[in-house]
Amino acid sequence: MSGNRIRLDKLGVVIAAIAVCGVFLAPFATFRANRIVPGEARTIFEALPSWAAVTLLLVLAVAAIIALLRVALPWRLAASLAALAALMLLVGLAANHLTPPENTYARVSPASGFWLLNFAFALLAADSFTRLRLTPVARIAVLALAALAVAAILYSGSWNGLSILKEYANRADSFWAEATKHVTLALGSLAAAVVAGIPLGILCHRVPALRDAVLNVLNIIQTIPSIALFGILIAPLGWIAVHVPGAAEIGIRGIGAAPAFVALFLYSLLPVVANTVVGLAGVPPAANDAARGVGMTARQRLFSIEFPLAFPVILTGIRIVLVQNIGLATIAALIGGGGFGVFVFQGIGQTAMDLVLLGAVPTVVLAFAAAIILDAATEMTAFNGARNEAVTA
Amino acid sequence: MKLSLPVFLRLFVLALLICFLVRPDWFEPVFKPLTQNNAPVIYNHGSLLTLTLQHLRIVFIATSAAAAVALALAILVTRPIGAEFLPLSRSLVNIGQTFPPVAVLALAVPAIGFGEKPTLIALFLYGLLPIFENALTGLTNLPVAVVEAARGVGMNERQRLVKVELPLALPVILAGIRLSVVISLATATIGSTVAAKTLGEVIIAGLISNNLAFVLQGGLIVGILAVLIYDGLSAVERMLARRMGLSVARAA
């Protein structure tokens, strides 16, 4: 390779290396005679009918070569999406191929090779998306399309042979009940934190003496590990439930959703209050002076100048809280608060890893989707703010 | 150093914590009202001190490894040779932080089984992100004038990195390590659900046997430990930043 040397893409080299490991060194699927016995590894050729194995390898090889060469971004993106789609579609086929007919005990789940390949091409997709610099609306559209694609696969039933969906089939009702609890817990505590935190932030902005004290206390709370805080709250809430009339009737109890809700609310306060303070402090004095000049009252200034200008920063705080709450709500299951954590901890207890996945995967997906949507929303409001500023300037 | 009220308060809390870990039986009357039916008041399936030390050991090992790897990666992607990875590594940090620690922990179990190992791996992986993110911020937001001056006096790339860029980025990197330690302390607590020997064991034993005294003991030890460590590391950062500010001012 002297003369016209081909310049390889460095990221492409990493991706191709991971993909090669995923294909040749790691199993594609795991087969188990029932849900808790140790699994047996199956390679791509063992797990798939030969036509499918060849197709998958071809798609992956072409995608890896495209990743290695320095080709235009849309091609790289298309290659990564094609590879991911092929993996997603064929893993369901592997389940049907490996499960003996009429056998309802056997379990097939994706194995490390499958996850490595997904990781490799997700890296390529993430890199392409980052470099494409999509607009916020386009990012949400991509997210919606991805969600639709997954929903279509789920609806078509081609994943039904996979172990995680067999776990789901066994507890479809409780899955949705826990999902509702999880989302209610995460969003409810966020809503409460916004309602309490924004006024508190405004107050802290106006009264500097209060600011340090409030932020310090919230910082300390944020530092306390979640199980510890859940545990510490059990005692006082239990006391309230017994001694305050009416408290038990509205659901305040020592264990269950109440301490989880209070803990998540307390964790949520710091990002909301701190970002409100930072956002308000960042309002340009000129904007405020101008508003004062045209005779706006303090209240009018707050609602029509300061708050809109600070909003993107506050929204960033809300994003942090939402992603954090979706993750932390998992731990609520330990104190009987429900949520996806129920499956995670049940699965750990029964060493049934597919049950762990049934709890963990929706949590990760929810947190990821929330991050994308709120990032896009923040960027849109910041953009509008900048435009408004430009118009007034 | 003057013994001001905040310093005194911290020392007092620390002394109380050590006292409790060494002689928990002294505190029995405090926790007694929380138990029912003559249940044990002080955690009795192992020494609280040993559990605390094991907890700290896991956090220390995982955070040291995470700091070394994260720093190496951050240096790599901010050099010309790794520049191609910079945009991707930024988005990876963003994506990685949406993974809840519990999920990382739970997903590590199928790969390596129960015990200390999945906890260490989850702590390591999750600890990487804040350190890497802060190291990136620190190494990419250096004052241009200083870097130019270092180049001007003829420092080579390695000298610039070791003598100028890393020292200037150090306070930000330390802030990342502090965040990472706090997250690790929390995640290690959850690690006891996958049979790692940490303080979470005390809380979970209390939840299972409906013993509030256990729950509160575990919760308070972990909580106070986290707050004290966070506070101590912040103080180290402030000290370093001050020294850096002074030395920069003196050099100028």
Side-chain angles (χ1 to χ4, degrees), chain A residues 256-274:
Chain A
F261 185 90
V262 175
L264 291 183
F265 165 75
L266 289 174
Y267 280 133
S268 312
L269 275 180
L270 178 69
V272 174
V273 175

Side-chain angles (χ1 to χ4, degrees), chain A residues 7-11 14 70 119 123 126-127 130-131 219-220 222-228 231-232 234-235 255 319 323 326-328 330-331 334-335 344-345 347-349 351 353 356-357 360 363-364 367-368 371 375, chain B residues 34 80-88 91-92 94-95 97-103 106-107 109-110 114 182 185-187 189-190 192-194 200 203-204 207 210 212 215-216 218-220 222-224 226-227 230:
Chain A
R7 284 186 63 210
L8 293 182
D9 184 272
K10 284 177 193 155
L11 177 65
V14 175
R70 301 185 170 229
F119 176 66
L123 272 185
D127 185 57
T130 312
R131 286 172 198 269
N219 220 335
I220 291 177
Q222 190 84 7
T223 313
I224 300 174
S226 45
I227 305 193
I232 293 171
I234 290 178
I255 56 164
R319 174 227 196 256
V323 171
I326 291 174
L328 286 175
T330 329
I331 301 172
L334 279 180
I335 51 167
V344 173
F345 293 117
I348 290 176
T351 60
M353 285 312 143
V356 172
L357 284 177
T363 315
V364 173
F368 185 56
D375 274 342
Chain B
L34 292 168
I81 187 171
E84 266 177 65
F85 295 98
L86 186 59
L88 174 67
S91 25
L92 276 188
N94 269 335
I95 296 171
Q97 279 171 341
T98 58
F99 270 71
V102 199
L107 295 179
V109 175
F114 285 91
V182 168
L185 278 167
T187 315
T189 321
I190 311 167
S192 53
T193 56
V194 295
I203 302 176
I204 289 168
L207 289 173
N210 207 1
L212 261 186
V215 175
L216 205 61
L220 284 177
V222 178
I224 291 174
V227 172
Y230 180 89

Side-chain angles (χ1 to χ4, degrees), chain A residues 10 13 60 66 106 158 165 189 194 211 252 273 279 283 322 364:
Chain A
K10 284 177 193 155
V13 174
L60 294 179
I66 290 181
S158 65
L165 282 185
S189 55
V194 168
R211 189 176 55 207
I252 294 178
V273 175
V283 172
L322 187 55
V364 173

